[in-house]
């Protein structure tokens, strides 16, 4: 009796090799991403005008709204010098990033050997360059043209304004992950920016607020941005409180950028 042995057919499973792991952060990939974003923004003059000119225009209007009481401009002008760049960078960054998410650009970039850290750092670098220009123009206008009187160094004023603009950039990158349209991205402004604007101490000292609201304001980054500006108004030298405020604002921006990188994922399986 002949036993027929069936040869074992080895199923040649075509296993797709896993893509080579990319480093968490690469200077070349980050700068290439930033250059691509800046090239796109160069063809959008309205966005550039919004980023560069609007904070200057708002400060100019504010100066002459309080034309009869320049002390009032001195007391709130420095705080708004940091708040205006934060708001404009948040608005432009959230809309620009959402446009790339919905158009599939981020989807295609994530399919390339490009790490999430490279992508988010590239966007932050591109908008950070614009934030430097924006903050420098607004600070120069406020101090040397509109006569904003500050006790401390104008360079410290510029530093806080720049950190506020970078914080707005980080918040815009982060919230763009939760919006399905540009209109929804704009709707995040009342939810993310307006509560901070009311509780940051711009309209009344935070110590005069209800204890519950004061506790909330203690965890909002804009509160420390305003506190840092007030330190420059009152002191000639850099104080420990100013250093604390600057570190908190910078740390919040870095934390939000990290959270923004975590939201970058492919929409398709």
């Amino acid at each position: 009796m002949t036993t027929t042995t069936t040869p074992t057919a080895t199923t040649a499973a075509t296993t797709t090799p896993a893509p080579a792991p990319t480093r968490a952060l690469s200077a070349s990939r980050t700068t290439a991403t930033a250059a691509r974003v800046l090239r796109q923004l160069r063809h959008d003059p309205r966005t550039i005008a919004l980023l560069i000119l609007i904070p200057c225009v708002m400060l100019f209007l504010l100066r002459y709204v309080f034309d009869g009481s320049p002390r009032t401009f001195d007391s709130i002008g420095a705080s708004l010098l940091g708040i205006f760049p934060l708001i404009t960078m948040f608005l432009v960054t959230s809309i620009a990033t959402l446009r790339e998410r919905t158009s599939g650009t981020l989807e295609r970039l994530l399919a390339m050997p490009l790490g999430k850290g490279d992508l988010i750092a590239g966007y932050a670098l591109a908008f950070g360059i614009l934030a430097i220009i924006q903050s420098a123009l607004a600070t120069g206008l406020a101090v040397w043209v509109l006569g904003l009187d500050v006790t401390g160094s104008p360079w410290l004023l510029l530093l806080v304004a720049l950190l506020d603009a970078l914080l707005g950039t980080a918040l815009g990158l982060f919230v763009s992950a939760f919006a399905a349209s540009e209109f929804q991205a704009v709707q995040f402004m009342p939810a993310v920016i307006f509560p901070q604007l009311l509780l940051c101490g711009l309209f009344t000292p935070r110590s005069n607020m209800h204890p519950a609201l004061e506790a909330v304001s203690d965890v909002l980054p804009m509160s420390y941005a305003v506190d840092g500006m007030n330190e420059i108004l009152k002191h000639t030298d850099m104080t420990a409180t100013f250093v604390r405020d600057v570190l908190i604002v910078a740390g919040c921006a870095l934390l939000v950028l990290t959270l923004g990188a975590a939201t970058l994922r492919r929409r398709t399986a």
Side-chain angles (χ1 to χ4, degrees), residues 54-85 138 141-142 146-148 202-203:
I54 291 300
C56 295
V57 172
M58 297 298 290
L59 286 169
F60 186 85
L61 291 176
L62 183 71
R63 166 63 182 86
Y64 291 102
V65 164
F66 296 108
D67 191 37
S69 56
R71 288 178 178 267
T72 305
F73 175 70
D74 292 336
S75 62
I76 68 172
S79 299
L80 291 175
L81 178 60
I83 292 173
F84 286 156
L141 174 70
L146 301 180
L148 180 67
L202 176 65
F203 302 105

Side-chain angles (χ1 to χ4, degrees), residues 86 167 171 191-201 206 209 212-227 245 248-249 252:
L86 190 153
L167 176 62
L171 289 171
V192 176
I193 300 298
F194 288 177
Q196 297 193 65
L197 189 62
L198 293 174
L199 299 177
C200 67
R206 293 193 290 129
M209 298 179 185
L213 293 180
E214 184 181 359
V216 173
S217 71
D218 287 341
V219 298
L220 298 177
M222 191 183 290
S223 301
Y224 297 96
V226 172
D227 288 349
D245 295 334
I248 289 176
V249 174
C252 288

Side-chain angles (χ1 to χ4, degrees), residues 161-180:
L162 175 59
L163 289 176
D164 291 344
L166 293 176
L167 176 62
T169 299
L171 289 171
L173 288 170
F174 177 65
V175 303
S176 67
F178 305 100

